[in-house]
Amino acid sequence: MESGPAIFAGTAFVVFGAGLLVWTAARVLHRAPVAHGVNPAAAVAFATTFGAVCVTLGVWCFGRI
């Protein structure tokens, strides 16, 4: 019964984090800006870190099941 919210949260975190990492990689490979009006190196670093944190948090939620 309590595993339902952990599965939902884990799925949401993993999907969002993986999507953010794929989107950031695609933008970098096409030499397109990751965020408009922001230093490109800072935008890539922040997006990559945030995506990795979300994936890690999702895996942690799945470990709590």
Side-chain angles (χ1 to χ4, degrees):
M1 184 79 145
E2 293 86 15
S3 65
I7 293 171
F8 176 77
T11 302
F13 279 124
V14 168
V15 168
F16 177 75
L20 183 61
L21 289 172
V22 168
W23 181 81
T24 302
R27 299 296 286 183
V28 168
L29 288 175
H30 288 92
R31 297 193 185 272
V34 175
H36 293 287
V38 181
N39 181 3
V44 170
F46 182 75
T48 303
T49 301
F50 192 65
V53 166
C54 284
V55 169
T56 303
L57 198 57
V59 170
W60 178 79
C61 286
F62 286 135
R64 303 290 295 170
I65 295 177

